[in-house]
């Protein structure tokens, strides 16, 4: 697949060097094209791309609050469709906080009502905008400022909420996981989501140089490691049918992934083993060896 | 024009039908519920060509309303009490984003303790949000104010959302005869909505709802203040145009026998009808009493209030809300803006009956004042 050269999220925004969220949005918009309206939840993306009077968005864009991107997108979609603008793509971007935590209710409503829109969760696995506080998407063992490692703590003590499967339980026509490190796979999924009539949900794993603690040149590498170790599984569920979209022949040990990030640096063998066991079980569930 | 007997909720729904909204995101709540039911039926029957968005909460109702209005269509929604409280965050966002949404609020007390009965604490608690607020006296007023609210909110000099406040149960569930304007007259009064900017149009991309640092936020808030100030003239003009087409006269305030009154009662909403009846009775006994009805509470009509009360000696303000430690909100606004001997009365919270005797007690306590703020209608210890 040849990537379109046109950028619909302009450079010059306030994202960190190596920011995974902006890579994700650029790819999504390359897949969707100009005939698209975007909605953002409050978060990194909104703050870094729209410092008034500047904007990075070359397409119409709206932001209202943290927890309501699903509902705002519902209103936008309803208004466009009732005006006969059926060909306009409606895409909402929410971070993991705005999606799996505070925005879950409004997103669930939007999915259940059958709006023809795409919701993309750009998941950097904590509240990065406010300085690395844990979210429901923070993985087991990660040290964040609100799940810090300490004398009595190894960091986050719960596994990541399985958001894509919660979305799939809504019975919507399309759910997929994706990674910014697999751009062709991600863009193919975005295009598919746009073509399908009805709600589509894509959960996008995107490493965060600041929150995960790695060199800003390694963002794509980290995303790859997540997939290659099975810590992040790429799949899609189309009209209820589950398919893996990345053939993982031989998984790398999760220590390769954990060791590359500051947020896991403190872990002892015991926690690392538990994480490996958890990933093994998750992989086994979907038929990955 | 046809005349029908209906509740104020039905009157509001009729107004919403006549303005032809394109998106109606609404969540039911007592005593607003029948508004959301009527609108669902109108859409189901094809009487309105709109998308009825069956949202899962009031927070999503107002959020979807902002999104739809941002996409350039006329929007209607309605709520009450706890629902309005849940909307609170987005109520402010709607004003800041300058989307001309119109929302009916069936005034109801706020929990705790839980109450479904009437007072005006819910909408009063939103008075600083940047919305225009009208408090209606009867079902006709509810219909007419909803029509006018669109014309005012959509005016380029205003571009602020409007809240039409109607007293829960007292108006929402009481039937009265109402004139329903015909569609042609409404079209003449309120043409179809053509916003200057249809923000969310791929052909004219715009960013709506940006981040403003201290270099810009202050001016953005000041722009709301300017819109609020300019809305006074827009409201007056709109009332005049409304009267020319529909023959019913409205203004920011209503002066009821204030000109020669020594004591003027000031109130909002349905209680004004009770007060007028008491005034007529007391006038026959030679008492010089009048009523100033605040119909439009935001913008706050300072000049119109001053003009109406210039001859009186004392003001007594009746509030169906409480700003703890201060008195009522209307009382504190009047104390801040109007130079007159003023007493505050808290009445009717959580649906406590307001009878002619309540009003007479207010009048007596204004004649012979004991304190600045009095709660009238509290049970005595042995009650």
């Amino acid at each position: 697949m040849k990537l379109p050269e046109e950028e619909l999220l302009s450079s010059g925004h306030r994202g960190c060097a190596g920011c995974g969220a902006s890579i994700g949005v650029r790819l999504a918009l390359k897949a969707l094209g100009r005939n698209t309206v975007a909605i953002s939840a409050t978060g990194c993306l909104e703050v870094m791309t729209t410092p008034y009077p500047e904007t990075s968005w070359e397409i119409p864009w709206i932001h209202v609050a943290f927890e309501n991107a699903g509902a705002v997108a519902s209103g936008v979609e309803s208004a466009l469709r009732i005006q006969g603008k059926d060909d306009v793509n409606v895409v909402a971007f929410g971070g993991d906080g705005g999606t799996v935590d505070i925005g879950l209710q409004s997103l669930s409503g939007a999915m259940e009502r059958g709006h023809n829109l795409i919701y993309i969760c750009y998941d950097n696995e904590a509240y990065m905008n406010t300085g690395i506080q844990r979210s429901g998407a923070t993985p087991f063992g990660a040290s964040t400022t609100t799940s810090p490692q300490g004398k009595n703590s190894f960091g986050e003590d719960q596994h990541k909420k399985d958001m894509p499967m919660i979305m799939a339980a809504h019975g919507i026509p399309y759910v997929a996981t994706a990674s910014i490190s697999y751009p062709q796979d991600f863009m193919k999924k975005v295009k598919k989501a746009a073509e399908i009539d009805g709600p589509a949900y894509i959960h996008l794993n995107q490493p965060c140089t600041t929150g995960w603690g790695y060199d800003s040149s390694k963002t794509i590498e980290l995303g790859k490691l997540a997939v290659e170790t099975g810590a992040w599984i790429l799949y899609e569920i189309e009209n209820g049918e589950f398919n893996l979209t990345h053939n993982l022949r031989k998984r790398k040990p999760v220590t390769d992934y954990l060791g590359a990030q500051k947020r896991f640096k403190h872990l002892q063998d015991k926690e690392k083993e538990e994480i490996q066991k958890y990933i093994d079980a998750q992989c086994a569930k979907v038929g990955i060896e | 024009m046809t005349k029908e007997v209906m509740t104020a909720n039905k009157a509001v729904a009729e107004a919403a039908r006549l303005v032809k909204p394109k998106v109606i995101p609404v969540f039911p709540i007592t005593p607003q519920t029948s508004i959301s039911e009527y609108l669902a039926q109108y859409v189901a029957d094809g009487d309105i060509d709109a998308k009825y968005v069956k949202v899962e909460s009031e927070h999503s109702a107002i959020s979807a309303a902002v999104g739809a209005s941002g996409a350039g269509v006329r929007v209607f929604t309605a709520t009450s009490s706890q629902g309005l409280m849940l909307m609170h965050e987005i109520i402010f966002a709607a004003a800041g984003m300058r989307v001309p949404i119109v929302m009916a609020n069936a005034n109801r007390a706020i929990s705790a303790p839980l109450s479904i009965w009437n007072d005006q604490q819910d909408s009063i608690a939103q008075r600083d949000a940047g919305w225009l607020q009208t408090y209606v006296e009867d079902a006709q007023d509810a219909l007419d104010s909803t029509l006018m609210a669109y014309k005012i909110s959509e005016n380029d000099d205003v571009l602020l959302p409007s809240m039409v406040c109607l007293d829960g149960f007292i108006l929402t569930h009481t039937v009265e005869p109402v004139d329903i304007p015909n569609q042609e007259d409404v079209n003449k009064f309120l043409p179809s909505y053509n916003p200057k900017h249809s923000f969310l149009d791929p052909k004219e991309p715009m960013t709506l709802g940006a981040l403003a640092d201290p270099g810009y936020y202050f001016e953005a808030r000041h722009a709301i203040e300017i819109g609020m100030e300019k809305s006074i003239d827009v409201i007056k003009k709109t009332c005049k145009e409304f009267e020319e087409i529909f023959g019913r006269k409205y203004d920011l305030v209503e002066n009821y026998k204030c000109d020669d009154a020594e004591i003027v009662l000031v109130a909002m909403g349905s209680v004004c009808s009770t007060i007028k009846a008491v005034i007529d009775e007391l006038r026959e006994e030679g008492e010089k009493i009048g009523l100033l009805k605040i119909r439009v509470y935001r913008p706050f009509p300072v000049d119109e209030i001053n003009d109406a009360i210039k001859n009186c000696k004392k003001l007594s303000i009746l509030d169906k809300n409480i700003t703890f430690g201060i008195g009522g909100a209307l009382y504190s606004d009047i104390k801040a803006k109007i130079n007159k001997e003023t007493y505050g009365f808290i009445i009717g919270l959580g649906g406590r009956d307001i009878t002619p005797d309540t009003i007479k007690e207010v009048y007596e306590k204004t004649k012979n004042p004991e304190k600045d703020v009095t709660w009238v209608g509290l049970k005595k210890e042995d009650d």
Side-chain angles (χ1 to χ4, degrees), chain B residues 95-136:
Chain B
M97 292 172 75
R98 311 304 294 268
V99 283
I101 296 165
V102 173
M103 175 165 74
N105 181 63
N107 283 114
R108 166 186 147 183
I110 297 171
S111 187
L114 184 64
S115 165
I116 58 164
W117 292 274
N118 167 250
D119 64 37
Q120 295 171 343
Q121 191 74 55
D122 52 358
S123 51
I124 288 293
Q126 311 300 327
R127 69 189 185 276
D128 298 332
W131 286 54
L132 312 187
Q133 286 194 345
T134 301
Y135 288 79
V136 306

Side-chain angles (χ1 to χ4, degrees), chain A residues 34-35 37 50-53 55 58-65 67-68 71-72 75-76 78-79 82-83 105-106 109 113, chain B residues 23 50-51 53-57 59-60 63-64 66-68 71 73 89-90 97 200-202 205-211 216:
Chain A
R34 276 194 178 271
N35 198 22
V37 174
T50 66
Y52 184 86
T55 181
E58 300 283 349
I59 56 166
W61 175 92
I62 183 173
H63 152 259
V64 183
E67 70 286 30
N68 66 354
V72 175
V76 170
S78 299
I82 194 87
Q83 294 177 89
Q105 174 184 318
S106 94
R113 287 189 297 270
Chain B
V23 177
K51 171 79 180 171
V53 188
K54 296 167 277 182
V55 284
E56 82 297 333
S57 72
H59 195 281
S60 284
S63 298
V66 173
V73 300
E89 178 198 24
I90 313 303
M97 292 172 75
L200 302 178
D201 177 3
M206 285 191 185
T207 286
L208 181 58
L211 168 84
Y216 294 96

Side-chain angles (χ1 to χ4, degrees), chain A residues 174 176-177 185-193 202 235 245:
Chain A
Y174 191 73
T177 60
D185 176 72
F186 173 46
M187 287 174 67
K188 221 169 92 186
K189 287 168 175 169
V190 173
K191 275 184 194 281
K192 208 180 242 187
I202 299 175
Y235 62 82
T245 54

Side-chain angles (χ1 to χ4, degrees), chain A residues 39 69-82 86 88-92 105-119 170-174 193-194 196-201, chain B residues 23-26 51-56 60-61 63-65 68:
Chain A
I39 296 95
V72 175
S74 301
V76 170
E77 192 266 353
S78 299
L80 292 174
R81 305 304 177 227
I82 194 87
D86 292 334
V88 180
N89 299 308
V90 177
V91 60
Q105 174 184 318
S106 94
L107 174 58
S108 174
M111 294 288 122
E112 166 244 322
R113 287 189 297 270
H115 297 280
N116 189 14
L117 56 82
I118 307 163
Y119 190 101
H170 286 69
I172 58 175
Y174 191 73
I196 278 169
D197 190 22
Y201 176 84
Chain B
V23 177
I24 305 171
V26 67
K51 171 79 180 171
Y52 185 92
V53 188
K54 296 167 277 182
V55 284
E56 82 297 333
S60 284
S63 298

Side-chain angles (χ1 to χ4, degrees), chain A:
Chain A
M1 190 193 293
K2 196 172 171 290
L3 296 191
E5 279 184 22
E6 187 179 43
E7 294 289 352
L8 296 176
L9 186 80
S10 309
S11 57
H13 56 70
R14 273 43 165 190
C16 305
C19 168
S22 52
I23 295 171
V25 173
R26 282 171 57 211
L27 293 173
L29 297 185
K30 279 175 193 288
L32 293 170
R34 276 194 178 271
N35 198 22
T36 302
V37 174
I39 296 95
S40 283
T42 308
C44 271
L45 180 65
E46 166 261 332
V47 167
M48 76 198 202
T49 57
T50 66
Y52 184 86
E54 296 163 22
T55 181
S56 288
W57 296 84
E58 300 283 349
I59 56 166
W61 175 92
I62 183 173
H63 152 259
V64 183
F66 189 12
E67 70 286 30
N68 66 354
V72 175
S74 301
V76 170
E77 192 266 353
S78 299
L80 292 174
R81 305 304 177 227
I82 194 87
Q83 294 177 89
K85 297 176 182 173
D86 292 334
D87 60 331
V88 180
N89 299 308
V90 177
V91 60
F93 294 101
D96 46 301
T99 304
V100 318
D101 291 342
I102 199 167
L104 181 58
Q105 174 184 318
S106 94
L107 174 58
S108 174
M111 294 288 122
E112 166 244 322
R113 287 189 297 270
H115 297 280
N116 189 14
L117 56 82
I118 307 163
Y119 190 101
I120 297 176
C121 171
Y122 65 99
D123 181 5
N124 50 31
E125 303 193 321
Y127 304 146
M128 299 312 186
N129 187 39
T130 43
I132 322 166
Q133 294 82 36
R134 61 86 62 191
S135 79
T138 299
F140 185 90
S143 181
T144 74
T145 58
T146 51
S147 62
Q149 63 107 355
K151 196 162 61 133
N152 299 318
S153 164
F154 55 81
E156 174 58 34
D157 60 358
Q158 298 296 317
H159 290 287
K160 196 178 169 77
K161 188 189 283 189
D162 195 351
M163 189 63 190
M165 285 302 173
I166 294 171
M167 289 292 101
H170 286 69
I172 58 175
Y174 191 73
V175 173
T177 60
S179 159
I180 58 159
S181 301
Y182 295 79
Q184 299 210 352
D185 176 72
F186 173 46
M187 287 174 67
K188 221 169 92 186
K189 287 168 175 169
V190 173
K191 275 184 194 281
K192 208 180 242 187
E195 279 157 19
I196 278 169
D197 190 22
Y201 176 84
I202 299 175
H203 199 111
L204 179 69
N205 179 273
Q206 56 102 154
C208 169
T209 167
T210 319
W212 294 13
Y214 61 81
D215 186 88
S216 61
S217 65
K218 307 275 189 208
T219 296
I220 299 300
E221 211 171 287
L222 256 295
K224 274 201 169 129
L225 269 174
V227 172
E228 287 166 352
T229 56
W232 187 245
I233 300 168
L234 299 180
Y235 62 82
E236 64 183 4
I237 304 172
E238 202 177 339
N239 296 317
E241 195 182 314
F242 179 95
N243 278 302
L244 292 171
T245 54
H246 180 72
N247 195 1
L248 200 57
R249 278 200 202 89
K250 194 169 179 336
R251 272 191 290 139
K252 290 182 177 170
V254 77
T255 44
D256 288 9
Y257 176 60
L258 301 177
Q261 304 170 61
K262 196 171 157 224
R263 62 177 173 159
F264 296 117
K265 272 280 189 302
H266 60 281
L267 293 182
Q268 304 292 314
D269 286 347
K270 187 174 154 238
E271 289 101 49
K272 288 181 194 166
E273 280 158 23
E274 179 164 347
I275 293 170
Q276 185 63 64
K277 243 166 68 188
Y278 177 77
I279 289 173
D280 291 348
Q282 293 295 107
C283 286
K285 265 203 266 183
V286 298
I288 296 174
E289 280 178 33

